[in-house]
Amino acid sequence: MEIRLSLVLLALLLMCGAALSASHPRAVSDREGHDLAALGYLEDQAAHARGNLDVARRLATTYLRLGQPGLAIATVRAAPPELARDALLTHRLSQAYEASGRVEDALSTAQLALARCSGVGACTHATVATLETHVEALTMLQRWGVQEPRRDTRTALAYRLAQRTARIASLGVPPLSQD
């Protein structure tokens, strides 16, 4: 009886081992035609030049584009504190939180990114408009209780409404009163 049990367990272990060796590790895929060699180059640059803001921004953006928000979050968190205070890098962190389904974290981080643009000349008007639109959309998502922004159809509606508000504001038309 013990020999049979041992043989069954051995067979199960061999099957599991075979299944694991036949599978391939899942890596960042090149779904959108991005050159993975360029991604590797960016990763190398980020590792060797941790203080390079442009590289950190581009790497976080690339990870987001490839659907890897966890790697984008790790990239921003690994950045030196002086880089992490950058409004656009903070915005990438907010986008990564949103893509991960962390709407509350995304909203508070988007508000922080917008606050970092408060200094005179700290951000362009286009950047401020982008950040304001993102904060507005995230506010709606939070209010509506959206748990998975990537899958919820209300996400697209929130962004359309936020962009409409931004367009009206850029035209100088006062918003409708909510009274």
Side-chain angles (χ1 to χ4, degrees):
M1 180 72 174
E2 286 181 38
I3 294 175
R4 284 186 188 169
L5 181 62
S6 295
L7 288 175
V8 169
L9 289 175
L10 179 62
L12 286 173
L13 286 173
L14 288 174
M15 286 191 304
C16 288
L20 289 174
S21 65
S23 65
H24 299 288
R26 185 169 182 256
V28 175
S29 63
D30 193 14
R31 285 186 288 223
E32 299 178 13
H34 297 288
D35 183 9
L36 290 180
L39 175 61
Y41 178 73
L42 264 178
E43 290 173 331
D44 287 344
Q45 278 188 312
H48 295 315
R50 280 186 23 119
N52 188 324
L53 178 60
D54 183 55
V55 171
R57 283 179 183 170
R58 288 186 310 162
L59 185 57
T61 300
T62 301
Y63 283 141
L64 285 170
R65 203 176 357 204
L66 290 171
Q68 299 294 323
L71 293 174
I73 292 169
T75 297
V76 176
R77 285 189 177 166
E82 62 274 8
L83 296 188
R85 287 189 284 272
D86 176 67
L88 287 177
L89 198 57
T90 304
H91 177 58
R92 293 295 174 261
L93 181 60
S94 174
Q95 290 173 314
Y97 283 146
E98 179 184 1
S100 299
R102 297 168 58 181
V103 176
E104 288 184 26
D105 290 335
L107 177 57
S108 62
T109 305
Q111 290 168 335
L112 177 61
L114 185 58
R116 289 181 172 163
C117 279
S118 64
V120 176
C123 296
T124 65
H125 292 295
T127 300
V128 171
T130 298
L131 296 175
E132 286 175 342
T133 300
H134 194 214
V135 167
E136 182 70 26
L138 289 169
T139 300
M140 285 183 238
L141 293 178
Q142 184 186 37
R143 191 177 323 131
W144 296 340
V146 172
Q147 298 291 320
E148 294 186 42
R150 285 180 161 180
R151 295 188 179 123
D152 198 312
T153 57
R154 295 176 291 179
T155 300
L157 176 61
Y159 277 94
R160 277 196 306 274
L161 291 172
Q163 288 169 348
R164 184 178 300 159
T165 302
R167 261 188 256 120
I168 290 171
S170 69
L171 293 172
V173 177
L176 298 174
S177 70
Q178 304 232 346
D179 297 325

